[in-house]
Amino acid sequence: MRFVPIDTPKPLSKIGLGTWQFGSKEWGYGSEYEHRAADIVRRAVDLGITVFDTAELYGFGRSERILGEALGDDRQKVVLATKIFPILPVAPVVQQRAVASAARLGVTHLDLYQVHQANPLVADHTTMRGMRALQDVGLVGEVGVSNYSLRRWQVAEAALGRPVLTNQVRYSMVDRGPEHDLLPYAKQAGRVVIAYSPLAQGFLSGRYDAKNPPSGAVRRANPYFLPENLERGATLIETLRQVADAHDATPSQIALAYLLRHPNVLAIPGASGVEQVERNAAAADLDLTDDEYAALAGAAREFRPITGLAAAPRLLRARTGR
């Protein structure tokens, strides 16, 4: 396992484990997945993964409980990261919700406490006042944000008066917006970009095509899995396969290695089983050549999916079968 080259109390592994699926029925994994989740967490620890990301919103607290119970005595050894859902994120509410999340995780200290989403009506200065108080009493170590623009990230940091260490954003080979501003800032300022959905919910795995679309509510709602987009992505997937063959790896591992090439990026893919978390962890040790990286970046630039309002009627047809 490799680590982000930033001095933190506990090392930040380049591959973490995202736990949105834990306790969340929308993924369609079934009730037995809770037992599998414990095995996934235990194997992740064995593989050197130190970053475990959850949120109070995931399964309405069940993800936090499942993760805390699965980690057991290792809770003090890893980086536990959770998030507050920003409904009325004023200082007293931030403090109350942090205490509740810590209780569900079974700890008295949150290594990283993040704002899940920028609230358009509540300024960051009141949210960060609560975060600062949590740091002062020792309940929170590092403060982070999620889904923040560069400007709002910087505003939040100014409001905190201390580093806002991380910004957790959607980042993958097909969601490359962070490369334009967030990644350069993270490198310059010594901050970290946490990439969620780093495999675009499996689009980059190569498992799906226009004749073999995914099932499950989450992926069906993702415009990348429209038949037209699966066809448009064929060249990108083929490039991933070619690079993967050169490394005796999988397309998913190469897609992760592409992100991890930046020193200040860590990725938090989810896992449906032990084998998947093993493959994800192994991606941290892959080294892409400059030519391979350039070929992947070029293929990613050429992929132009149908998204936004243009995708809405197509998604509706795909879901209704009409």
Side-chain angles (χ1 to χ4, degrees), residues 19-20 24 26 53-61 63-64 81-87 89 94 97 101 112-120 124 127-128 131 143-149 152 166-170 194 196 268:
T19 65
W20 176 13
S24 299
E26 61 264 30
D53 181 81
T54 183
E56 65 176 9
L57 183 65
Y58 300 162
F60 301 102
S63 174
E64 291 176 323
T82 191
K83 298 182 283 292
I84 176 175
F85 193 67
I87 296 178
V94 171
R97 303 269 277 282
S101 282
L112 175 63
Y113 197 40
Q114 306 155 96
V115 183
H116 206 147
Q117 183 82 37
N119 188 303
D124 285 300
T127 302
M128 291 300 154
M131 289 289 194
V143 171
V145 292
S146 183
N147 300 301
Y148 270 46
S149 67
R152 187 137 187 191
T166 63
N167 191 358
Q168 184 178 144
V169 294
R170 185 185 299 273
I194 301 178
Y196 74 79
I268 51 168

Side-chain angles (χ1 to χ4, degrees), residues 174-190:
V174 296
D175 292 292
R176 296 171 57 241
E179 294 178 357
H180 303 305
D181 54 359
L182 298 183
L183 268 60
Y185 173 72
K187 185 175 182 180
Q188 173 265 321

